[in-house]
Amino acid sequence: MSPPPKRPQAASPPGGRRQRTGRAGSAASTGGAAAVGGAALDGVAATVVDAGAKGLIRQANEAVILGAGERVFARAGFNGATMGQIADEAGLPKANLHYYFGSKRELYQAVLARTLHDWLVPMDGLVAEADPRTALEQYIRAKMQMSRERPDASRVFANELLHGAEVLGELMRTELRTMVRRKAAVIEGWVAAGRMAPVDATHLFFTIWAATQTYADFDVQVRAVLGRNELTARDHQRAADHVAGLILRGCGL
């Protein structure tokens, strides 16, 4: 009777030692996976940080370009302005402008949209539960401050309107009209509740815009009459106090 066949021995790893597969082996395997996973997470985190940094850089560059566009469009108008002039004003290569804004018209639209947006933001304080005098005064002074700090934005806007608002028309018929109707309803509610004198709420906004933006759009006229080369901080404060007081008194506030 033949002897039973011998069980084959497991092959030894290189070096003649058999690999252990107990807890130590599992721990080594887990540690390796953790190291790989940690490296992957580090890579993802680095990517997120890098993307965030790039986003901030993009926002900063766009703000610089929009500010330069404001100034150049205010001086030269849409037709007279060139991307080269705006690049020089921004201190950036012309190629950067085309990277962020594909064309002069696209940049012009962005300048106007930013101005309209920034003008609408202060209207957020006009809410039913607010004190009418405080809310209206804050809105008026915010508009005066913008005319002081960013007069070119107002001039570009005014020039666009004087030429028929070809670019801005749709935004005014939608976003601006919707906001004015909503805030006019707030003012009408204050009037109905006896919290202020009766006024035409919609035309009140027209009055505020005209009174505040004149210090940007017609700055030359204001300076000429006041005998100034430049308006001083005191001139601006005097103007803001006058406009706010005049409108508030007209509202019985």
Side-chain angles (χ1 to χ4, degrees):
M1 186 173 180
S2 302
K6 294 182 179 181
R7 295 178 64 186
Q9 297 293 322
S12 298
R17 298 180 62 185
R18 293 180 62 185
Q19 187 173 359
R20 298 177 65 187
T21 57
R23 293 181 180 176
S26 297
S29 176
T30 303
V36 171
L41 289 173
D42 288 344
V44 170
T47 300
V48 170
V49 170
D50 186 53
K54 288 181 178 177
L56 292 174
I57 292 171
R58 181 183 185 90
Q59 290 175 19
N61 284 340
E62 286 181 348
V64 169
I65 294 168
L66 288 169
E70 242 176 44
R71 295 187 292 275
V72 174
F73 286 131
R75 292 195 302 262
F78 175 75
N79 291 327
T82 68
M83 292 294 264
Q85 290 171 337
I86 297 171
D88 290 342
E89 183 75 20
L92 293 170
K94 184 178 175 180
N96 282 32
L97 270 66
H98 288 287
Y99 174 76
Y100 292 109
F101 302 95
S103 65
K104 183 175 76 168
R105 185 179 181 83
E106 186 178 333
L107 174 55
Y108 179 66
Q109 289 173 326
V111 167
L112 289 169
R114 183 177 76 153
T115 299
L116 181 57
H117 171 268
D118 291 349
W119 279 351
L120 292 181
V121 167
M123 295 177 78
D124 290 344
L126 302 175
V127 293
E129 60 272 21
D131 173 66
R133 178 185 175 86
T134 301
L136 283 170
E137 182 171 7
Q138 287 177 345
Y139 175 59
I140 293 165
R141 290 188 182 277
K143 289 286 282 102
M144 289 293 289
Q145 182 177 355
M146 189 169 177
S147 289
R148 175 183 178 180
E149 294 178 353
R150 288 175 56 196
D152 288 330
S154 183
R155 291 167 192 152
V156 176
F157 193 93
N159 195 45
E160 165 70 8
L161 267 56
L162 289 171
H163 287 82
E166 178 186 347
V167 171
L168 202 58
E170 186 60 27
L171 270 177
M172 291 195 301
R173 287 187 291 269
T174 53
E175 186 175 351
L176 179 61
R177 184 167 185 262
T178 298
M179 176 66 88
V180 170
R181 292 178 71 180
R182 188 161 67 246
K183 297 306 179 180
V186 171
I187 293 171
E188 288 163 359
W190 290 340
V191 171
R195 300 177 67 189
M196 60 180 285
V199 296
D200 185 310
T202 301
H203 283 270
L204 175 60
F205 284 112
F206 298 154
T207 301
I208 292 171
W209 298 343
T212 56
Q213 289 163 226
T214 193
Y215 290 93
D217 303 342
F218 298 101
D219 167 73
V220 173
Q221 175 179 266
V222 174
R223 287 188 289 110
V225 172
L226 293 178
R228 302 277 197 272
N229 291 324
E230 295 292 336
L231 293 180
T232 65
R234 185 174 179 179
D235 290 330
H236 285 290
Q237 185 63 49
R238 176 185 170 193
D241 291 345
H242 166 73
V243 171
L246 184 66
I247 293 173
L248 291 173
R249 287 193 297 273
C251 293
L253 299 170

